[in-house]
PDB file of all heavy atoms in Angstrom:
ATOM      1  N   MET A  26      11.007  -9.117  25.516  1.00  0.00           N
ATOM      2  CA  MET A  26      10.221  -8.151  24.803  1.00  0.00           C
ATOM      3  C   MET A  26       8.813  -8.141  25.306  1.00  0.00           C
ATOM      4  O   MET A  26       8.320  -9.196  25.812  1.00  0.00           O
ATOM      5  CB  MET A  26      10.308  -8.420  23.271  1.00  0.00           C
ATOM      6  CG  MET A  26       9.497  -7.489  22.385  1.00  0.00           C
ATOM      7  SD  MET A  26      10.096  -5.806  22.274  1.00  0.00           S
ATOM      8  CE  MET A  26      11.538  -5.948  21.374  1.00  0.00           C
ATOM      9  N   PRO A  45     -12.174 -10.208   5.940  1.00  0.00           N
ATOM     10  CA  PRO A  45     -11.393  -8.983   5.944  1.00  0.00           C
ATOM     11  C   PRO A  45      -9.918  -9.197   6.380  1.00  0.00           C
ATOM     12  O   PRO A  45      -9.073  -8.423   6.059  1.00  0.00           O
ATOM     13  CB  PRO A  45     -12.125  -8.036   6.884  1.00  0.00           C
ATOM     14  CG  PRO A  45     -13.503  -8.529   6.908  1.00  0.00           C
ATOM     15  CD  PRO A  45     -13.366 -10.008   6.766  1.00  0.00           C
ATOM     16  N   PHE A  48      -8.627 -14.349   4.920  1.00  0.00           N
ATOM     17  CA  PHE A  48      -8.702 -15.756   4.991  1.00  0.00           C
ATOM     18  C   PHE A  48      -9.982 -16.247   4.315  1.00  0.00           C
ATOM     19  O   PHE A  48     -11.057 -15.604   4.315  1.00  0.00           O
ATOM     20  CB  PHE A  48      -8.624 -16.249   6.413  1.00  0.00           C
ATOM     21  CG  PHE A  48      -7.384 -15.793   7.124  1.00  0.00           C
ATOM     22  CD1 PHE A  48      -7.468 -14.801   8.055  1.00  0.00           C
ATOM     23  CD2 PHE A  48      -6.213 -16.423   6.896  1.00  0.00           C
ATOM     24  CE1 PHE A  48      -6.296 -14.361   8.690  1.00  0.00           C
ATOM     25  CE2 PHE A  48      -5.012 -16.041   7.494  1.00  0.00           C
ATOM     26  CZ  PHE A  48      -5.071 -14.993   8.438  1.00  0.00           C
ATOM     27  N   SER A  50     -11.291 -19.262   5.335  1.00  0.00           N
ATOM     28  CA  SER A  50     -11.931 -20.055   6.399  1.00  0.00           C
ATOM     29  C   SER A  50     -11.426 -19.664   7.755  1.00  0.00           C
ATOM     30  O   SER A  50     -10.356 -19.149   7.886  1.00  0.00           O
ATOM     31  CB  SER A  50     -11.672 -21.558   6.084  1.00  0.00           C
ATOM     32  OG  SER A  50     -10.268 -21.874   6.370  1.00  0.00           O
ATOM     33  N   ASN A  60       0.741 -19.459  13.989  1.00  0.00           N
ATOM     34  CA  ASN A  60       2.130 -19.426  13.284  1.00  0.00           C
ATOM     35  C   ASN A  60       2.703 -18.051  13.364  1.00  0.00           C
ATOM     36  O   ASN A  60       3.901 -17.915  13.584  1.00  0.00           O
ATOM     37  CB  ASN A  60       1.966 -19.927  11.918  1.00  0.00           C
ATOM     38  CG  ASN A  60       1.670 -21.460  11.757  1.00  0.00           C
ATOM     39  OD1 ASN A  60       1.925 -22.147  12.785  1.00  0.00           O
ATOM     40  ND2 ASN A  60       1.202 -21.899  10.714  1.00  0.00           N
ATOM     41  N   TYR A  73       0.435  -9.034  26.267  1.00  0.00           N
ATOM     42  CA  TYR A  73      -0.851  -8.528  26.765  1.00  0.00           C
ATOM     43  C   TYR A  73      -1.908  -8.690  25.702  1.00  0.00           C
ATOM     44  O   TYR A  73      -1.810  -8.063  24.601  1.00  0.00           O
ATOM     45  CB  TYR A  73      -0.693  -7.083  27.215  1.00  0.00           C
ATOM     46  CG  TYR A  73       0.124  -6.857  28.411  1.00  0.00           C
ATOM     47  CD1 TYR A  73       1.518  -6.717  28.241  1.00  0.00           C
ATOM     48  CD2 TYR A  73      -0.428  -6.703  29.644  1.00  0.00           C
ATOM     49  CE1 TYR A  73       2.361  -6.566  29.415  1.00  0.00           C
ATOM     50  CE2 TYR A  73       0.390  -6.522  30.783  1.00  0.00           C
ATOM     51  CZ  TYR A  73       1.781  -6.437  30.597  1.00  0.00           C
ATOM     52  OH  TYR A  73       2.558  -6.270  31.707  1.00  0.00           O
ATOM     53  N   ASN A  83     -15.445 -23.722  22.879  1.00  0.00           N
ATOM     54  CA  ASN A  83     -14.418 -23.297  23.879  1.00  0.00           C
ATOM     55  C   ASN A  83     -13.308 -24.303  23.939  1.00  0.00           C
ATOM     56  O   ASN A  83     -12.166 -23.943  24.176  1.00  0.00           O
ATOM     57  CB  ASN A  83     -15.100 -23.210  25.260  1.00  0.00           C
ATOM     58  CG  ASN A  83     -15.872 -21.986  25.430  1.00  0.00           C
ATOM     59  OD1 ASN A  83     -15.837 -21.051  24.580  1.00  0.00           O
ATOM     60  ND2 ASN A  83     -16.687 -21.898  26.451  1.00  0.00           N
ATOM     61  N   LYS A 117      -1.140 -22.778  31.522  1.00  0.00           N
ATOM     62  CA  LYS A 117       0.066 -22.700  32.297  1.00  0.00           C
ATOM     63  C   LYS A 117       0.850 -21.332  32.133  1.00  0.00           C
ATOM     64  O   LYS A 117       1.599 -20.928  33.009  1.00  0.00           O
ATOM     65  CB  LYS A 117       1.014 -23.866  31.986  1.00  0.00           C
ATOM     66  CG  LYS A 117       0.442 -25.181  32.424  1.00  0.00           C
ATOM     67  CD  LYS A 117       1.391 -26.328  32.086  1.00  0.00           C
ATOM     68  CE  LYS A 117       0.998 -27.575  32.677  1.00  0.00           C
ATOM     69  NZ  LYS A 117       0.239 -28.472  31.842  1.00  0.00           N
ATOM     70  N   LYS A 131       9.702   2.385  30.262  1.00  0.00           N
ATOM     71  CA  LYS A 131      10.649   3.480  30.210  1.00  0.00           C
ATOM     72  C   LYS A 131       9.976   4.699  30.837  1.00  0.00           C
ATOM     73  O   LYS A 131       9.580   4.666  31.993  1.00  0.00           O
ATOM     74  CB  LYS A 131      11.157   3.688  28.833  1.00  0.00           C
ATOM     75  CG  LYS A 131      11.947   2.461  28.276  1.00  0.00           C
ATOM     76  CD  LYS A 131      12.468   2.606  26.922  1.00  0.00           C
ATOM     77  CE  LYS A 131      13.222   1.413  26.478  1.00  0.00           C
ATOM     78  NZ  LYS A 131      13.684   1.502  25.087  1.00  0.00           N
ATOM     79  N   HIS A 165     -11.923  -3.711  15.584  1.00  0.00           N
ATOM     80  CA  HIS A 165     -11.614  -4.461  14.294  1.00  0.00           C
ATOM     81  C   HIS A 165     -11.202  -3.533  13.151  1.00  0.00           C
ATOM     82  O   HIS A 165     -11.294  -3.913  12.026  1.00  0.00           O
ATOM     83  CB  HIS A 165     -12.717  -5.426  13.915  1.00  0.00           C
ATOM     84  CG  HIS A 165     -12.876  -6.518  14.879  1.00  0.00           C
ATOM     85  ND1 HIS A 165     -12.080  -7.666  14.839  1.00  0.00           N
ATOM     86  CD2 HIS A 165     -13.709  -6.666  15.905  1.00  0.00           C
ATOM     87  CE1 HIS A 165     -12.477  -8.484  15.761  1.00  0.00           C
ATOM     88  NE2 HIS A 165     -13.417  -7.854  16.518  1.00  0.00           N
ATOM     89  N   VAL A 190       1.980  -6.896  18.138  1.00  0.00           N
ATOM     90  CA  VAL A 190       2.831  -5.784  17.888  1.00  0.00           C
ATOM     91  C   VAL A 190       3.639  -5.460  19.179  1.00  0.00           C
ATOM     92  O   VAL A 190       3.185  -5.548  20.247  1.00  0.00           O
ATOM     93  CB  VAL A 190       1.978  -4.453  17.573  1.00  0.00           C
ATOM     94  CG1 VAL A 190       0.931  -4.125  18.615  1.00  0.00           C
ATOM     95  CG2 VAL A 190       2.851  -3.310  17.134  1.00  0.00           C
ATOM     96  N   ILE A 197       7.428   3.781  18.254  1.00  0.00           N
ATOM     97  CA  ILE A 197       7.816   4.369  16.948  1.00  0.00           C
ATOM     98  C   ILE A 197       6.587   4.989  16.269  1.00  0.00           C
ATOM     99  O   ILE A 197       6.587   6.081  15.734  1.00  0.00           O
ATOM    100  CB  ILE A 197       8.440   3.305  16.023  1.00  0.00           C
ATOM    101  CG1 ILE A 197       9.869   2.954  16.541  1.00  0.00           C
ATOM    102  CG2 ILE A 197       8.573   3.755  14.623  1.00  0.00           C
ATOM    103  CD1 ILE A 197      10.483   1.687  15.938  1.00  0.00           C
ATOM    104  N   ARG A 200       5.381   8.220  17.984  1.00  0.00           N
ATOM    105  CA  ARG A 200       6.330   9.380  17.663  1.00  0.00           C
ATOM    106  C   ARG A 200       6.061   9.830  16.234  1.00  0.00           C
ATOM    107  O   ARG A 200       6.010  11.084  16.009  1.00  0.00           O
ATOM    108  CB  ARG A 200       7.749   8.914  17.881  1.00  0.00           C
ATOM    109  CG  ARG A 200       8.160   8.817  19.279  1.00  0.00           C
ATOM    110  CD  ARG A 200       9.607   8.450  19.468  1.00  0.00           C
ATOM    111  NE  ARG A 200      10.009   8.441  20.915  1.00  0.00           N
ATOM    112  CZ  ARG A 200      10.927   7.706  21.346  1.00  0.00           C
ATOM    113  NH1 ARG A 200      11.585   6.802  20.613  1.00  0.00           N
ATOM    114  NH2 ARG A 200      11.216   7.787  22.640  1.00  0.00           N
ATOM    115  N   ASN A 207       2.135  17.387  14.254  1.00  0.00           N
ATOM    116  CA  ASN A 207       2.786  18.703  14.479  1.00  0.00           C
ATOM    117  C   ASN A 207       3.066  19.409  13.165  1.00  0.00           C
ATOM    118  O   ASN A 207       2.966  20.612  13.115  1.00  0.00           O
ATOM    119  CB  ASN A 207       4.110  18.505  15.236  1.00  0.00           C
ATOM    120  CG  ASN A 207       3.883  18.154  16.675  1.00  0.00           C
ATOM    121  OD1 ASN A 207       2.790  18.432  17.301  1.00  0.00           O
ATOM    122  ND2 ASN A 207       4.852  17.544  17.326  1.00  0.00           N
ATOM    123  N   LYS A 208       3.502  18.701  12.174  1.00  0.00           N
ATOM    124  CA  LYS A 208       3.633  19.293  10.831  1.00  0.00           C
ATOM    125  C   LYS A 208       2.397  19.880  10.243  1.00  0.00           C
ATOM    126  O   LYS A 208       2.404  20.813   9.499  1.00  0.00           O
ATOM    127  CB  LYS A 208       4.283  18.289   9.860  1.00  0.00           C
ATOM    128  CG  LYS A 208       5.778  17.954  10.176  1.00  0.00           C
ATOM    129  CD  LYS A 208       6.296  16.956   9.245  1.00  0.00           C
ATOM    130  CE  LYS A 208       7.643  16.517   9.648  1.00  0.00           C
ATOM    131  NZ  LYS A 208       8.185  15.404   8.872  1.00  0.00           N
TER     132      LYS A 208
END
Side-chain angles (χ1 to χ4, degrees):
M26 179 66 74
F48 302 105
S50 71
N60 290 340
Y73 291 83
N83 285 348
K117 291 182 171 97
K131 298 182 180 176
H165 294 277
V190 60
I197 289 167
R200 286 181 174 149
N207 286 339
K208 287 178 185 172

